[in-house]
């Protein structure tokens, strides 16, 4: 029969062996790659027309503005609804809404597309503002 000392010695040796195996297996694991994943740069286009200009929500714009891969955001006036039914006040309201959206990230946001207003409905200041921010005014027929 084995003595108590022999049992203690064997248990001690087994625990050292087990600890060694655990430490060796952990040291053999590959170190995790901490290199950031590359994302290709892109541009985002957010379309709107006179019926859904409010659909360009500030939260959506801020999401793309914070994304470092997103290089530019275009607020695009679509050809679907050509803005001809708008009054001078409506046109000014559109300008104010779009200006608020642009101010969320002015370095990343500009306009795209053409606004087709009825003659003499858009005041000159509004027309100039639209052109300065990337849109055209009455440049092509819809």
């Amino acid at each position: 029969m084995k003595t108590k000392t022999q049992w203690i010695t064997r248990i001690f040796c087994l625990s050292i062996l087990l600890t060694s195996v655990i430490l060796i297996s952990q040291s053999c694991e590959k170190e995790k790659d901490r290199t950031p994943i590359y994302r290709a740069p892109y541009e985002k286009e957010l379309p709107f027309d006179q019926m859904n200009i409010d659909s360009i929500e500030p939260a959506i714009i801020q999401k793309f503005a914070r994304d470092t891969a997103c290089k530019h955001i275009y607020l695009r006036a679509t050809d679907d609804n050509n803005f001809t039914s708008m009054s001078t006040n409506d046109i000014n309201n559109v300008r104010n809404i779009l200006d608020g959206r642009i101010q969320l990230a002015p370095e990343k946001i500009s306009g795209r597309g053409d606004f087709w207003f009825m003659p003499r409905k858009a005041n000159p200041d509004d027309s100039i503002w639209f052109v300065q921010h990337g849109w055209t005014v009455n440049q092509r027929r819809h």
Side-chain angles (χ1 to χ4, degrees):
M1 183 157 168
K2 297 184 181 178
T3 66
K4 188 175 181 180
T5 311
Q6 289 175 327
W7 280 106
I8 292 174
T9 305
R10 285 186 179 191
I11 291 173
F12 180 74
C13 288
L14 284 174
S15 65
I16 290 177
L17 180 63
L18 184 60
T19 304
S20 300
V21 168
I22 291 171
L23 290 175
I24 290 172
S25 69
Q26 286 178 349
S27 67
C28 291
E29 286 182 17
K30 281 187 175 180
E31 196 170 311
K32 292 186 179 183
D33 185 12
R34 305 237 185 250
T35 306
I37 297 172
Y38 174 76
R39 291 181 47 218
Y42 68 95
E43 296 177 343
K44 181 66 181 170
E45 196 170 78
L46 301 172
F48 67 92
D49 62 32
Q50 76 175 15
M51 303 306 287
N52 70 355
I53 192 163
D54 291 329
S55 69
I56 304 174
E57 297 176 16
I60 293 170
I61 292 173
Q62 289 171 332
K63 176 185 137 193
F64 290 112
R66 284 190 302 266
D67 185 353
T68 56
C70 182
K71 297 304 175 195
H72 203 81
I73 303 165
Y74 292 101
L75 306 179
R76 186 174 63 81
T78 66
D79 296 341
D80 302 336
N81 199 325
N82 61 19
F83 304 92
T84 56
S85 66
M86 296 186 117
S87 69
T88 302
N89 286 338
D90 292 337
I91 294 168
N92 187 260
N93 288 338
V94 167
R95 171 190 170 173
N96 291 333
I97 290 169
L98 292 173
D99 186 51
R101 302 309 194 261
I102 289 172
Q103 292 310 312
L104 294 171
E107 70 287 349
K108 265 191 169 181
I109 302 172
S110 64
R112 182 179 269 180
D114 186 56
F115 286 101
W116 187 260
F117 302 124
M118 292 301 290
R120 295 179 295 284
K121 287 289 183 179
N123 72 49
D125 290 340
D126 288 338
S127 292
I128 291 168
W129 184 89
F130 286 120
V131 171
Q132 287 174 337
H133 289 86
W135 290 279
T136 57
V137 175
N138 294 356
Q139 293 298 307
R140 59 178 188 233
R141 289 220 175 261
H142 298 281

